[in-house]
């Protein structure tokens, strides 16, 4: 699978850690980066992973709905907490994604969200992590 030709290729660069700017090569997105531990303007890895997961998961939900001939709207929220390791050394992310599809029964919502979780490339990347969860919800 790793030897296949990619459908899309992107190269992201960070040269300053959580102070400065990160960017996508070839005149792509540029974002100001800041630490979550201060009030400086900018974004951080927690927000970026949350945006990646919520966008990818919702795009996958929309694709699954379209394949079923449905035009329901959906929403995914990712809540990301920056946590200190219990031993006090290092950090980790606690990620909880919540998804809701309008106009479907909760059971059908759960089924599609679970299928989307199994198909979404970002969810696949995070699969097996004890600190990542995806759940269908009735309301936000």
């Amino acid at each position: 699978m790793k030897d296949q030709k990619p459908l899309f290729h992107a190269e992201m660069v960070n040269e300053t850690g959580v102070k400065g700017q990160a960017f996508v090569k070839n005149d792509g997105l540029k974002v100001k980066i800041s630490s979550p531990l201060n009030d400086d303007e900018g974004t951080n890895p927690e927000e970026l992973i949350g945006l990646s997961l919520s966008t990818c998961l919702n795009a996958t939900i929309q694709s699954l709905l379209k394949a079923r001939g449905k035009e329901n709207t959906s929403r995914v929220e990712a809540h990301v907490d920056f946590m200190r390791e219990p031993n006090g050394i290092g950090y980790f992310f606690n990620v909880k994604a919540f998804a809701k599809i309008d106009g479907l029964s909760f059971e059908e919502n759960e089924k599609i969200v679970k299928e989307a979780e199994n198909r979404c490339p970002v969810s696949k990347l995070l699969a097996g992590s004890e600190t990542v969860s995806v759940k269908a919800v009735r309301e936000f």
Side-chain angles (χ1 to χ4, degrees):
M1 214 164 31
K2 293 178 184 178
D3 293 331
Q4 292 178 324
K5 183 177 178 175
L7 299 173
F8 175 78
H9 173 80
E11 296 177 15
M12 284 56 66
V13 179
N14 179 300
E15 299 171 326
T16 61
V18 290
K19 188 173 188 176
Q21 186 175 2
F23 61 93
V24 179
K25 281 186 173 181
N26 300 321
D27 296 322
L29 175 70
K30 291 177 175 69
V31 293
K32 186 172 186 174
I33 302 295
S34 66
S35 171
L37 301 177
N38 62 43
D39 292 333
D40 292 346
E41 185 180 314
T43 192
N44 55 56
E46 297 79 357
E47 293 166 337
L48 295 171
I49 196 76
L51 283 172
S52 293
L53 179 58
S54 62
T55 300
C56 185
L57 190 59
N58 202 27
T60 306
I61 288 169
Q62 286 295 306
S63 177
L64 292 170
L65 289 169
K66 184 177 179 181
R68 289 168 168 78
K70 298 181 182 287
E71 296 182 7
N72 304 63
T73 58
S74 56
R75 177 182 174 122
V76 175
E77 289 189 14
H79 301 183
V80 182
D81 295 317
F82 183 57
M83 310 287 292
R84 182 171 292 282
E85 290 286 353
N87 64 8
I89 302 171
Y91 303 93
F92 68 95
F93 298 150
N94 190 39
V95 181
K96 296 178 182 176
F98 305 97
K100 180 181 184 302
I101 304 168
D102 294 326
L104 296 182
S105 70
F106 185 68
E107 292 73 25
E108 192 171 4
N109 190 359
E110 283 183 308
K111 181 180 176 186
I112 292 173
V113 169
K114 186 63 177 169
E115 186 176 349
E117 179 184 11
N118 291 332
R119 291 183 178 209
C120 163
V122 175
S123 292
K124 289 179 188 180
L125 185 64
L126 301 172
S129 172
E130 294 178 10
T131 63
V132 177
S133 66
V134 175
K135 295 181 182 175
V137 295
R138 296 179 193 276
E139 296 297 329
F140 283 103

